[in-house]
Amino acid sequence: MKSKIMEVFDGIQSDLSHKIRLKNSFAREDIRLIAGVDLAYWEEGEATVACCCICVLDFSTKKIIEIKSLIDEVNVAYMPGYLSFRELPLIMQTFKKLSNDPDLVMFDGNGYLHPRNMGIATHASFHLNKSTIGIAKSYLKINSVDFIMPSNNVGAFTDIVINRIVYGRALRTHKNVKPIFVSCGNWIDIDTATEITLELINNESRLPIPVRQADLETKKIKRRKSLLF
DNA sequence: GCGACAG
DNA sequence: ATCTTGTCGC
């Protein structure tokens, strides 16, 4: 049984979903800056609080050139399938603090690989007006479709196909390590999303550098914050 | 009642 | 996401 708020959220997302375009809106050589976004949560008394962090990476040198973060109260509960409504307010606030203007944004979560093709990466693209990619660490099952484990070598992937449409990919970024789930956010195609993701993998993590750095930074700030009380 | 369930 | 120690493996 779906709650009233879920019905409202469904309406918002189905309106937006008609505008999704899974084609590159850029030339590969024009990608200079790529941002990664992540959040960490904790409790402060009765309130739920989160830290959002955005890391901007120079695609040519693979170095982080800017890190911005923001802490604020979160008032939307987590509901599987509605993550964007919980995280988008903080994300948009944090983006305002950036002095660089990324050409592409990667999110911790799904994009097109979602019941309404509107995971956080896709939903956020409409607010940011930027190409986006979804990077999830675990699989969100849709219509009872399981993913097929890719073979055990770097770069191996299997398509996640639902109703004859590719929703996303299980991608192996390291040997002997669980795959990640890559999906288009918006204004990008799945092959390009896969290629860029693989280019941003180093030995430290199965996640691409921008998302990994945002994850580390968000937890660093959280530790420093909870140590204060 | 039980299992599923991005983060 | 978060609560948590040691431990097995490359």
Side-chain angles (χ1 to χ4, degrees):
Chain A
M1 190 53 191
K2 224 169 239 182
S3 72
K4 185 65 191 172
I5 191 66
M6 286 173 167
E7 305 280 6
V8 174
F9 287 167
D10 281 350
I12 293 169
Q13 292 197 325
S14 76
D15 286 348
L16 287 170
S17 67
H18 302 302
K19 303 197 286 183
I20 299 169
R21 293 293 176 269
L22 304 186
K23 290 186 65 176
N24 295 347
S25 66
F26 52 84
R28 276 295 297 272
E29 56 271 28
D30 290 338
I31 298 293
R32 295 280 172 252
L33 303 179
I34 302 181
V37 183
D38 194 24
L39 287 83
Y41 294 83
W42 66 93
E43 304 295 325
E44 279 190 10
E46 299 296 84
T48 297
V49 173
C51 170
C52 175
C53 179
I54 304 176
C55 292
V56 181
L57 168 141
D58 183 318
F59 194 37
S60 58
T61 64
K62 307 291 188 280
K63 298 300 178 193
I64 300 293
I65 62 164
E66 183 179 8
I67 301 177
K68 284 288 185 298
S69 62
L70 179 144
I71 296 172
D72 200 2
E73 193 173 334
V74 174
N75 293 302
V76 180
Y78 171 71
M79 295 170 274
Y82 302 89
L83 179 65
S84 61
F85 294 97
R86 175 170 168 86
E87 302 201 331
L88 227 24
L90 275 253
I91 291 170
M92 294 312 295
Q93 282 190 71
T94 312
F95 258 96
K96 289 179 191 163
K97 300 176 77 168
L98 286 184
S99 45
N100 287 281
D101 187 31
D103 305 298
L104 177 66
V105 185
M106 307 181 93
F107 289 84
D108 192 330
N110 293 315
Y112 199 81
L113 178 55
H114 178 276
R116 295 170 297 285
N117 305 124
M118 284 290 291
I120 187 156
T122 308
H123 197 150
S125 74
F126 292 111
H127 292 279
L128 297 167
N129 197 25
K130 290 181 186 304
S131 294
T132 60
I133 298 174
I135 303 290
K137 296 181 290 297
S138 64
Y139 183 59
L140 174 64
K141 201 181 210 177
I142 299 164
N143 293 352
S144 302
V145 175
D146 284 305
F147 77 94
I148 297 165
M149 190 59 78
S151 63
N152 189 17
N153 47 65
V154 176
F157 66 82
T158 55
D159 285 337
I160 295 155
V161 182
I162 299 163
N163 299 325
R164 308 183 60 86
I165 294 170
V166 177
Y167 273 47
R169 278 176 178 168
L171 175 66
R172 189 83 68 173
T173 58
H174 285 293
K175 196 173 175 67
N176 298 321
V177 176
K178 289 188 300 182
I180 60 174
F181 302 88
V182 178
S183 58
C184 300
N186 202 359
W187 300 308
I188 191 168
D189 63 60
I190 189 65
D191 288 323
T192 304
T194 305
E195 287 168 17
I196 290 177
T197 299
L198 283 174
E199 271 190 57
L200 294 175
I201 299 298
N202 61 22
N203 312 0
E204 271 129 66
S205 172
R206 68 181 167 130
L207 300 175
I209 299 167
V211 170
R212 168 63 168 168
Q213 284 306 306
D215 178 66
L216 290 174
E217 191 66 20
T218 211
K219 284 169 178 160
K220 194 181 300 175
I221 291 169
K222 176 182 168 177
R223 281 197 304 273
R224 164 149 62 76
K225 202 70 187 174
S226 55
L227 214 68
L228 223 53
F229 284 105

